[in-house]
Amino acid sequence: MTLDFSQYAAALHLATMWSFDDIRNGIISHMDTLTATADPFERIDVSLRCRVEKWLHPAYADLCKREGALQDDEVERLGLKSGSDMARSRACDDWEAQKYNYTAPDARTLPLKLECRSCGRVMDLDDMAPYLPEMEVGDALDLIKLEPALEYM
């Protein structure tokens, strides 16, 4: 008998709730093989509910890369803050150049502010500092990780 992502998610929820760490880790290891085909919204729900941080940002990235805008019911499912941050991340659709798409308006101005040429978003270098070492060119996770409401809590 083969279980799908939803069925494993139910077992993971119970293992997490009852602190069965060994069983929980085994379920997570098996579910890792199923995340590529699972619904991104379901992955987000399970990630947050069962405290599996490694599934969260890739699920958000899949939503950013898909065709078409988020539907009203999808924004409601994400929540207002996460939905608006997701929409802002989707608006910057030039993922290839995103890492290098920030320019300093005036390098002599401190604190240094960076402005995205695609969406006009302005950030302090301090806001980006924790993410810069792990950013990779062409990765949709770049912007996702910068949105406060899309952070793992």
Side-chain angles (χ1 to χ4, degrees):
M1 178 167 102
T2 304
L3 301 178
D4 64 18
F5 189 84
S6 297
Q7 293 165 320
Y8 274 108
L12 178 61
H13 175 68
L14 294 175
T16 301
M17 184 173 63
W18 293 328
S19 299
F20 294 158
D21 295 334
D22 291 339
I23 295 171
R24 180 180 185 279
N25 292 335
I27 294 170
I28 289 171
S29 293
H30 187 74
M31 289 178 76
D32 283 341
T33 65
L34 303 173
T35 57
T37 58
D39 174 63
F41 289 100
E42 189 171 8
R43 290 179 1 229
I44 291 167
D45 291 342
V46 173
S47 176
L48 294 172
R49 186 170 37 120
C50 298
R51 302 185 317 268
V52 185
E53 183 176 359
K54 65 183 174 179
W55 296 339
L56 186 62
H57 288 131
Y60 284 136
D62 286 348
L63 290 179
C64 276
K65 292 180 201 175
R66 76 172 197 184
E67 293 292 321
L70 294 173
Q71 301 299 311
D72 291 343
D73 61 325
E74 294 173 331
V75 173
E76 286 178 15
R77 190 169 177 186
L78 288 172
L80 180 61
K81 181 70 175 128
S82 294
S84 67
D85 282 356
M86 177 63 61
R88 184 172 32 258
S89 293
R90 287 177 57 91
C92 290
D93 59 359
D94 187 11
W95 300 109
E96 290 283 323
Q98 195 60 48
K99 181 175 179 184
Y100 300 104
N101 204 21
Y102 285 93
T103 56
D106 184 352
R108 295 167 294 185
T109 306
L110 293 175
L112 184 60
K113 300 256 185 215
L114 304 175
E115 182 175 355
C116 176
R117 289 183 289 221
S118 297
C119 69
R121 182 174 181 191
V122 177
M123 303 183 95
D124 288 335
L125 251 181
D126 292 340
D127 295 335
M128 292 180 67
Y131 305 102
L132 291 176
E134 62 188 58
M135 284 184 169
E136 293 180 17
V137 177
D139 194 349
L141 295 176
D142 294 356
L143 287 178
I144 299 277
K145 290 179 179 180
L146 296 174
E147 293 296 346
L150 302 180
E151 289 180 4
Y152 180 78
M153 301 196 196

